[in-house]
Amino acid sequence: MSAHVDDVVATVARDIDARLPELTVELTDWFVEMIPEFRHDEAVRQLMVASTSANLVGIVDLLAHAIPVEQIAVPPAAAEYARRFAQHELSLEALLRAYRLGEHRFGQWALDSLRRGDRRDPDVVLAAVASLSERTNRYIDQVVEGLIDIYETERRRWSTRSGAGLAARIRMVLDTDPLSDSAADELLGLPVRGWHRAAVLWVSGPTDAADDDGLLQAGARLLHDAAGRPPLTVLADSRTLWAWHSGPTAPALDVELLRARMPGDVCVALGAPAAGLSGFRGSLAEAVRARAVVENSVLTPPVTEFDDVAIPALLTERTEDLRRWVARVLSDLDSDEPGVDQVRETLRVFLASGGSYTQAAGRLHLHKNTVHYRVRKAEDLRGRPLGDDRLQVEVALLAASLLRTRP
């Protein structure tokens, strides 16, 4: 019966493999819902998705090809995600909980696949369920054992490298509520009642750890030059540095100097100047949001100010809610069918031109009649004319464009 059981297990693995992209999204969304520590910024979120995908591929390959568990190693993406977890001072327990939740969800998928299959021998099915559970569990145990070592090693290394004491104090200021100004002053070693402007520097290209260090240090020196004084800095992770310039008045920063001299593999996002503890926190939050916009865009400018990307940053904060709203406002105009993108862009420019067919035609280098036709086409796709909801349509068109830049 063993050969029959292996065949059933392999068939289930192939069935799951065929749906891996959608199942990966399902699992990562569930992690974010169930585990607060999994609510990351965009860069770490992408690494979390890569880690999840790599583990699912590893389990499927184990089952489909009867690979001995002893040959299983921690997938590189999963190892790097564990290191980032340690660098962000997130708990090992949260990381391990995700693996047990993932094991449970994978078991559900396997049972669903067995129910859909035409397998009449109950003994074979029961043996396959036992085999699926045992092999998946052994994979998880093998990977978790390696992850614990990776996490603990990185935690010790990071404590000596990142200025652990300062990093811990800054995170307390960012995360503790309520927190008095005097307590924040003592933690930061600077008067929090003043003005602050935050920057997030990150390494955008593929480099090794030594290069990352050098590039971030070069970026920090450039921030010093642009402000005329050194910023307060802390490593957020091995490829990201947070920085603040603070003073009694709004910090001046030579943004053009940053644009001209920022190293090629380094990007910086700037929050707006703001006062007080809320300003210290809020300026960093803006810089983090600006970074997310850059990482979801086709172009990667060396310097991005939050005020220049505020609308896309705020619009894409809750992506799934935004997608549903855009679909309601635009209806079939939100379609990816050929030619609809041109209709959307024409309507966007028409509305931005104050409803002038002539101005829109000039900006788009089209004949006025073509603009007229596409605007009517847009109304047909929406199923209703442009009326009192013009502002909603303009915002929805911008959001539709932004959402299509996301991975």
Side-chain angles (χ1 to χ4, degrees):
M1 187 171 69
S2 176
H4 294 304
V5 170
D6 287 343
D7 287 343
V8 172
V9 169
T11 300
V12 169
R14 288 191 293 270
D15 179 50
I16 292 174
D17 184 48
R19 299 183 295 130
L20 266 189
E22 66 188 81
L23 295 177
T24 301
V25 172
E26 175 187 322
L27 191 55
T28 52
D29 286 349
W30 192 42
F31 288 158
V32 172
E33 178 185 347
M34 298 296 294
I35 308 173
E37 290 87 345
F38 272 59
R39 295 161 195 168
H40 304 297
D41 62 34
E42 185 61 23
V44 184
R45 184 194 71 82
Q46 291 180 9
L47 185 56
M48 181 260 288
V49 172
S51 170
T52 304
S53 176
N55 276 305
L56 289 175
V57 169
I59 295 173
V60 165
D61 287 345
L62 175 81
L63 299 175
H65 307 294
I67 298 172
V69 174
E70 293 74 19
Q71 296 181 17
I72 295 298
V74 178
E80 182 59 24
Y81 183 55
R83 294 187 189 98
R84 296 289 181 91
F85 227 73
Q87 292 165 12
H88 285 259
E89 300 185 0
L90 300 171
S91 72
L92 177 61
E93 290 75 15
L95 182 62
L96 300 185
R97 183 185 177 207
Y99 275 81
R100 294 308 172 191
L101 288 174
E103 179 184 1
H104 174 72
R105 182 58 61 94
F106 192 93
Q108 290 181 323
W109 295 338
L111 290 174
D112 290 343
S113 176
L114 286 168
R115 291 189 190 99
R116 289 193 301 270
D118 183 19
R119 302 177 181 93
R120 299 180 181 178
D121 187 335
D123 292 334
V124 171
V125 172
L126 287 173
V129 170
S131 179
L132 283 161
S133 177
E134 187 266 340
R135 294 187 202 180
T136 304
N137 181 261
R138 290 184 65 195
Y139 174 94
I140 296 295
D141 284 348
Q142 178 91 350
V143 170
V144 160
E145 183 178 348
L147 281 177
I148 292 173
D149 182 60
I150 290 168
Y151 177 94
E152 295 293 355
T153 300
E154 183 64 17
R155 190 70 179 267
R156 291 190 296 271
R157 187 189 73 86
W158 190 250
S159 294
T160 61
R161 174 187 171 199
S162 64
L166 176 60
R169 293 195 302 274
I170 288 176
R171 290 188 184 277
M172 285 181 65
V173 171
L174 294 173
D175 299 335
T176 303
D177 273 319
L179 183 69
S180 68
D181 286 350
S182 59
D185 290 349
E186 185 173 347
L187 288 166
L188 294 174
L190 57 85
V192 78
R193 296 173 186 83
W195 284 76
H196 313 279
R197 187 172 197 185
V200 173
L201 292 95
W202 72 97
V203 180
S204 59
T207 58
D208 60 31
D211 289 340
D212 291 348
D213 278 345
L215 288 168
L216 291 175
Q217 289 172 15
R221 288 193 297 269
L222 190 54
L223 280 176
H224 182 168
D225 295 343
R229 51 197 165 112
L232 172 69
T233 61
V234 64
L235 284 170
D237 60 44
S238 59
R239 295 172 64 86
T240 307
L241 182 139
W242 293 343
W244 288 264
H245 284 106
S246 301
T249 59
L253 197 64
D254 188 342
V255 176
E256 291 309 314
L257 183 144
L258 293 177
R259 288 195 173 99
R261 292 172 47 189
M262 188 60 63
D265 288 321
V266 178
C267 295
V268 59
L270 301 170
L277 178 56
S278 63
F280 184 86
R281 294 169 170 172
S283 188
L284 178 68
E286 290 181 352
V288 169
R289 288 192 182 107
R291 175 188 179 177
V293 172
V294 172
E295 291 186 321
N296 284 312
S297 300
V298 176
L299 300 177
T300 307
V303 180
T304 302
E305 297 186 74
F306 175 78
D307 284 349
D308 292 338
V309 295
I311 293 176
L314 296 171
L315 279 177
T316 54
E317 188 77 4
R318 296 176 63 87
T319 302
E320 292 309 313
D321 292 342
L322 183 62
R323 287 186 197 280
R324 288 191 292 271
W325 179 78
V326 168
R328 285 200 303 272
V329 173
L330 298 184
S331 189
D332 289 344
L333 186 56
D334 189 39
S335 166
D336 287 321
E337 290 296 316
V340 177
D341 58 337
Q342 292 181 334
V343 176
R344 274 196 305 270
E345 177 62 11
T346 301
L347 181 60
R348 186 192 67 78
V349 174
F350 170 73
L351 293 172
S353 302
S356 168
Y357 292 101
T358 302
Q359 289 185 30
R363 291 172 63 177
L364 291 166
H365 306 290
L366 295 173
H367 192 279
K368 178 180 174 180
N369 289 346
T370 302
V371 175
H372 204 282
Y373 166 78
R374 289 183 181 176
V375 170
R376 288 203 309 270
K377 178 68 173 177
E379 291 180 327
D380 289 342
L381 288 168
R382 285 189 73 220
R384 56 193 184 277
L386 295 171
D388 295 337
D389 63 347
R390 280 195 175 203
L391 178 59
Q392 291 191 60
V393 173
E394 285 192 73
V395 174
L397 288 168
L398 173 61
S401 174
L402 294 168
L403 289 169
R404 282 169 172 78
T405 68
R406 294 179 68 86

